[in-house]
């Protein structure tokens, strides 16, 4: 039976669930640029009077306008694409665009961006990830992705990381009725993997990941804090907090 060891604690496990953004891939490399392009894409189809300002929108989604750093408790970090669309729609509505037009413009811009963004340059793995995933697979641990992003994006990003075959289950926010911090996604992942929640760990960069793991009865939650500007204090529900995957060790005990 495989074991995962960190900070002096050892867990007997069958499976690991991973969040995606900030956990598998570096958050800032992808989502700050994505949001910039979203606002630019929206403005291309708007009269000047209704154009949105990047600087004004940043605080609304949890980006510091000066340093372009993200708040780990903010909508861009934790929310779904629908959440971001709603925030942007509200800004359009406040600039004088009718709500029905505002929501359509926001959703259409997000859909266009999925096809036009330079994904390969934006998707970079968190330090130590590739080696850790290889070790986990070698030890026979089942792996799944549980993300607040849509499943389509999740599959695309895993492909760009060359990890499309590593995860036997990939679940997006659009595949459950209630996303994080509710337990549904974690329980569904365990069910599809054929593993028990009590023998499954979750690794994630938000407290929503940790809360979901607790609500689903998972064995433990490991908070990952890969961005230098974060200190992990937001991960109040985590059993452990790590900087990168080099802090984790996987072993298959010899009988």
């Amino acid at each position: 039976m495989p074991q995962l060891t960190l900070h002096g604690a050892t867990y007997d496990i069958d499976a690991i669930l991973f969040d995606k953004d900030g956990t598998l891939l570096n958050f800032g490399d992808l989502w700050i640029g994505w949001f910039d392009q979203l606002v630019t894409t929206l403005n291309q189809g708007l009269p000047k009077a209704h154009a949105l300002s990047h600087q004004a929108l940043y605080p609304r989604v949890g980006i510091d306008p000066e340093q372009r750093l993200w708040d780990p408790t903010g909508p861009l970090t934790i929310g779904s694409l629908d959440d971001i669309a709603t925030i942007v729609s509200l800004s359009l509505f406040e600039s004088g665009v009718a709500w029905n037009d505002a929501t359509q413009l926001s959703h259409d811009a997000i859909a266009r961006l999925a096809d036009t963004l330079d994904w390969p340059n934006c998707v970079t793995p968190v330090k130590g990830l590739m080696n850790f995933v290889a070790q986990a697979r070698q030890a026979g641990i089942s792996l799944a992705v549980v993300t607040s992003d849509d499943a389509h994006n999740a599959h695309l990003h895993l492909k760009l990381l060359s990890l499309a075959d590593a995860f036997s289950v990939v679940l997006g926010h659009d595949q459950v009725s209630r996303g994080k911090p509710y337990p549904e996604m974690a329980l569904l992942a365990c069910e599809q993997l054929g593993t028990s929640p009590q023998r499954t760990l979750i690794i994630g960069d938000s407290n929503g990941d940790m809360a979901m793991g607790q609500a689903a009865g998972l064995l433990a939650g490991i908070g990952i804090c890969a961005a230098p500007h974060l200190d992990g204090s937001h991960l109040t529900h985590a059993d452990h907090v790590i900087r990168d995957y080099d802090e984790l060790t996987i072993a298959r005990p010899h009988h």
Side-chain angles (χ1 to χ4, degrees):
M1 177 181 307
Q3 292 180 327
L4 181 139
T5 305
L6 78 158
H7 306 168
T10 299
Y11 296 98
D12 293 322
I13 58 168
D14 294 326
I16 303 173
L17 311 184
F18 294 80
D19 168 53
K20 176 172 69 74
D21 304 318
T23 302
L24 297 177
L25 53 90
N26 290 303
F27 187 90
D29 290 354
L30 173 56
W31 289 105
I32 305 273
W34 176 88
F35 189 72
D36 284 341
Q37 289 199 37
L38 174 64
V39 178
T40 303
T41 303
L42 264 169
N43 284 340
Q44 284 164 358
L46 286 173
K48 282 266 190 295
H50 299 307
L52 299 175
S53 140
H54 287 76
Q55 296 295 75
L57 269 173
Y58 274 1
R60 292 196 153 189
V61 296
I63 303 173
D64 180 311
E66 302 304 314
Q67 298 175 291
R68 285 170 55 80
L69 297 174
W70 62 97
D71 179 343
T73 66
L76 189 63
T77 314
I78 296 174
S80 66
L81 291 178
D82 283 345
D83 292 334
I84 300 302
T86 301
I87 291 167
V88 172
S89 300
L90 185 59
S91 297
L92 285 171
F93 174 69
E94 287 170 351
S95 81
V97 179
W99 181 250
N100 57 309
D101 293 330
T103 54
Q104 186 175 5
L105 285 164
S106 302
H107 284 284
D108 286 354
I110 287 173
R112 275 210 304 287
L113 210 49
D115 299 325
T116 57
L117 190 72
D118 181 10
W119 295 106
N121 273 330
C122 300
V123 175
T124 60
V126 167
K127 182 172 178 273
L129 172 72
M130 309 308 272
N131 186 40
F132 178 72
V133 167
Q135 282 182 3
R137 293 183 75 194
Q138 207 171 356
I141 297 168
S142 301
L143 307 178
V145 173
V146 286
T147 176
S148 292
D149 198 359
D150 290 354
H152 169 81
N153 280 349
H155 284 287
L156 171 66
H157 298 163
L158 290 174
K159 202 168 162 187
L160 292 170
L161 289 169
S162 303
L163 289 175
D165 300 332
F167 297 91
S168 38
V169 171
V170 177
L171 293 176
H173 179 87
D174 52 332
Q175 291 172 296
V176 291
S177 54
R178 292 207 294 186
K180 303 170 187 180
Y182 294 100
E184 186 183 347
M185 212 185 301
L187 291 171
L188 183 59
C190 289
E191 187 186 314
Q192 292 187 3
L193 288 172
T195 58
S196 140
Q198 294 77 27
R199 301 184 52 77
T200 302
L201 293 172
I202 185 162
I203 302 177
D205 71 321
S206 84
N207 214 36
D209 298 314
M210 302 299 104
M212 174 179 70
Q214 284 184 340
L218 301 189
L219 181 58
I222 300 170
I224 188 161
C225 210
H229 75 283
L230 302 179
D231 62 4
S233 58
H234 62 289
L235 295 163
T236 53
H237 289 296
D239 296 293
H240 307 273
V241 177
I242 58 172
R243 273 285 173 200
D244 58 54
Y245 290 95
D246 295 339
E247 293 178 48
L248 304 176
T249 311
I250 286 177
R252 189 184 266 285
H254 300 293
H255 295 296

